[in-house]
Amino acid sequence: MTCSIFSKYKIGNLTLDNRIVMAPMTRGFADNETGEVNYLIADYYGKRARYGAGLIITEGVAINKLAKGTYGIPGIYTHRQILSWKKVTREVHQYKTKIFAQLWHVGRVSHQEILKGNAPVAPSPIGANGHVHRLRKPFQAPRALNNMEIYQIIADYKDAAKNAMEAGFDGVEIHAAHGYLIDQFINEKTNDRQDEFGGSLQNRLRFLDLIIKEVKKVVPKNRISIRISEKKDDDKDYVWEHPEEMVCAITGILSKHQLKIVHPSAENYGDMLQHNQKSLHELFRQYWDKTLIAVGNIAPEKGASIIGGNQADLVAFGQLFIANPDLVVRLKANQEIFPYQTKNLHTCLI
């Protein structure tokens, strides 16, 4: 039976009104000192819910005070931050939309000016290429985490997930993509550790494995999404040498923990992997028979065919949701979809 992008979708006891997802996008409008969000953020997400988004995944939310990589990043590690997020979840839930908090630690792609004098941390003291967003200074060489610190960060992910549920979120997404901290452990170019967190692929995936193990103690397994990517924001030329081995290993961990949602992130949906004859989403579909979210600069008219062709279960739109708060309504009515234009979005909070 062919499914519609507008049909309801169940993930265990979680029911989405449709299969259209608002993708996570860094906004940077939280209070820079406190990491709290305000009514503008509640209105921003609330508008997308009002017009029918099935699921909203928030911008990356810092799990601790050293997790952020630029100004204005919200947190979920203090009581006041939890209270501030309750405004957002209440606003979204009045329209029956579901919302996940994306848990984030940027690791090495930060700077001591962002971290109040603290050096960025990473699995190994290997610097990133590029510049800190908004600060416009080169990334600093990070300090390598010791084992005690690694286990503390794992505990911080669990605490952040618990706090997210207290704040009223329906679930969480663990951001393990795009060259941020979890991805830095997975990536052989950024992890040259010689302990149980480095070396073999199995060891490099151990950090993610242990984070999932802890997070699922406080969040139901069907309400945990994992975001994965091949591409890295600070290394545009990076590719997986053995994509099938990587995807098989990652999905093996997710299956072991009985998770239900994976969110592979591609720059452009459908692009072939350099060392495989499949796209990122095709390869995940080969090894993953549970909920798969498609994302990657997807054209409005393409979403329906992705769902109808069983290429994915949910379709996420990013910039189109910024330009069109009523994107779902426009898709359903076959109305014009406005393109994303940064020059016309002075605040992005529309």
Side-chain angles (χ1 to χ4, degrees), residues 51-124:
Y51 292 113
L55 171 65
I56 292 172
I57 304 176
T58 71
E59 61 212 280
V61 182
I63 64 159
N64 62 33
K65 65 181 182 180
L66 298 183
K68 68 179 190 175
T70 189
Y71 296 113
I73 300 303
I76 195 76
Y77 53 89
T78 73
H79 179 65
R80 290 181 62 88
Q81 289 167 356
I82 295 170
L83 293 178
S84 73
W85 277 112
K86 286 184 177 182
K87 296 192 291 286
V88 176
T89 57
R90 282 196 299 266
E91 182 70 17
V92 168
H93 284 153
Q94 70 173 318
Y95 302 109
K96 311 304 181 185
T97 291
K98 305 302 189 292
I99 183 168
F100 281 19
Q102 189 186 67
L103 306 183
W104 196 27
H105 194 309
V106 304
R108 70 178 189 161
V109 288
S110 191
H111 193 281
Q112 64 181 9
E113 289 189 29
I114 301 294
L115 303 176
K116 298 186 181 299
N118 294 288
V121 296
S124 303

Side-chain angles (χ1 to χ4, degrees), residues 139-247:
F139 296 123
Q140 289 182 313
R143 176 179 62 79
L145 291 160
N146 62 44
N147 275 41
M148 184 179 298
E149 290 172 316
I150 290 172
Y151 281 99
Q152 180 58 58
I153 291 174
I154 291 168
D156 290 343
Y157 270 99
K158 177 185 176 183
D159 290 343
K162 181 180 179 182
N163 292 343
M165 301 307 283
E166 183 181 338
F169 285 99
D170 298 288
V172 300
E173 177 167 277
I174 298 171
H175 197 339
H178 299 162
Y180 298 120
L181 183 62
I182 296 174
D183 204 5
Q184 289 160 28
F185 273 87
I186 299 171
N187 185 345
E188 72 281 0
K189 290 178 64 177
T190 54
N191 181 351
D192 63 3
R193 300 179 70 94
Q194 301 300 312
D195 59 9
E196 68 267 34
F197 291 100
S200 68
L201 177 57
Q202 180 181 4
N203 280 2
R204 301 198 312 272
L205 285 166
R206 190 182 306 276
F207 186 53
L208 174 61
D209 187 6
L210 294 177
I211 288 170
I212 295 171
K213 179 181 177 182
E214 292 304 306
V215 168
K216 73 176 189 177
K217 291 177 181 178
V218 294
V219 179
K221 295 187 289 290
N222 66 304
R223 295 169 181 249
I224 302 171
S225 171
I226 306 296
R227 194 169 215 211
I228 294 290
S229 71
E230 178 192 40
K231 296 299 184 181
K232 318 304 175 193
D233 288 354
D234 63 330
D235 187 352
K236 300 300 183 182
D237 296 325
Y238 178 84
V239 295
W240 286 336
E241 290 292 333
H242 305 286
E244 193 159 350
E245 178 188 8
M246 181 67 77
V247 171

Side-chain angles (χ1 to χ4, degrees), residues 3-24:
C3 295
S4 165
I5 196 171
F6 303 110
S7 62
K8 291 183 181 292
Y9 184 75
K10 292 195 70 173
I11 313 171
N13 64 353
L14 183 72
T15 301
L16 309 182
D17 280 348
N18 56 59
R19 295 165 182 254
I20 301 171
V21 179
M22 179 179 178

Side-chain angles (χ1 to χ4, degrees), residues 9 255 258-262 285 288-292 313:
Y9 184 75
S255 296
Q258 299 181 303
L259 299 195
K260 306 299 182 185
I261 312 169
V262 67
R285 193 51 135 181
W288 184 255
D289 61 359
K290 301 173 185 67
T291 300
L292 177 68
D313 304 289

